[in-house]
Amino acid sequence: MAFAAVPASIEVPGNGAVVGVDRGVSVSAALSTGAMLNVPGLRRTEARRLTLLQRRLARAKRGGRRRRILKAAIARLKARETDRRKDWVEKTTTRLASGFDVIGIEDLRVKNMTASAKGTIEAPGRGVRAKAGLNKAILASGWGQLARRLEHKAQGRVIPVDPAYTSQRCSACGHVDTKNRESQSVFVCTACGFACHADVNAAINIETAAGRAVAAREGPRVAGPTHREPQHDLLLSA
Ligand SMILES: [Zn+2]
């Protein structure tokens, strides 16, 4: 399935704009504008070198000089990866905060997810193996950092959205179906045939939900409904 080319950068529209940000599976973050963003990690040659160094470290004698040298080299590579991720998070959050009035993000409670599987290094918790891969991917994508920095830079303008069904719901017609997800990256609606990058479809749903939450908050003033759902207030003041 081919899609129209999507911009790799964040396009900044006019004021009053709402954007949805989805923590992608096949990309680091997808925006409802269609932009797909990836955290720059280690280059292929660097990643290969890291694996090689780690393998050598495993064989190196404890307390030896060679071990110290290998450890230092590994730390340098990892620091490089961390720096690139931080830089990406700073640039991305600045552009989101300045380019949009309201930013909807998945309420994933990333912190809890990563903490629960961790246990301690010496005595890892149950199910660590199963969760380790997923957690690694979440951390590597910098999602937690992204959400934290965004909330700091766009205070009061970040709307956490319940991620339930955001990946199964068609952003064009609203049809919810697990079969809507053709693959990890391809969304095809079984009802209306709408096709889209799966992460962008989810981001559009997040944008819609965030927009609705804001409308509910501003409802009495703007649209003038007499009844206001009390749970909206709870949701938004959290
Ligand atoms: Zn549809």
mmCIF file of all heavy atoms in Angstrom, residues 170 173 189 192, ligand 1:
data_model
loop_
_atom_site.group_PDB
_atom_site.id
_atom_site.type_symbol
_atom_site.label_atom_id
_atom_site.label_comp_id
_atom_site.label_asym_id
_atom_site.label_seq_id
_atom_site.Cartn_x
_atom_site.Cartn_y
_atom_site.Cartn_z
ATOM 1 N N CYS A 170 -11.351 4.303 12.797
ATOM 2 C CA CYS A 170 -11.121 4.990 11.526
ATOM 3 C C CYS A 170 -11.285 6.490 11.759
ATOM 4 O O CYS A 170 -12.323 6.938 12.249
ATOM 5 C CB CYS A 170 -12.108 4.507 10.473
ATOM 6 S SG CYS A 170 -12.058 5.460 8.950
ATOM 7 N N CYS A 173 -14.374 7.804 9.331
ATOM 8 C CA CYS A 173 -15.802 7.535 9.554
ATOM 9 C C CYS A 173 -16.118 7.121 10.988
ATOM 10 O O CYS A 173 -17.285 6.999 11.352
ATOM 11 C CB CYS A 173 -16.300 6.462 8.575
ATOM 12 S SG CYS A 173 -15.780 4.774 9.000
ATOM 13 N N CYS A 189 -9.687 0.986 6.610
ATOM 14 C CA CYS A 189 -10.983 0.860 7.272
ATOM 15 C C CYS A 189 -11.827 -0.202 6.575
ATOM 16 O O CYS A 189 -11.989 -0.174 5.355
ATOM 17 C CB CYS A 189 -11.704 2.204 7.260
ATOM 18 S SG CYS A 189 -13.334 2.130 8.033
ATOM 19 N N CYS A 192 -15.313 1.961 5.446
ATOM 20 C CA CYS A 192 -15.347 2.982 4.387
ATOM 21 C C CYS A 192 -14.153 2.923 3.442
ATOM 22 O O CYS A 192 -14.108 3.637 2.446
ATOM 23 C CB CYS A 192 -15.448 4.390 4.998
ATOM 24 S SG CYS A 192 -13.903 5.013 5.691
HETATM 25 ZN ZN ZN B 1 -13.820 4.364 7.894
#
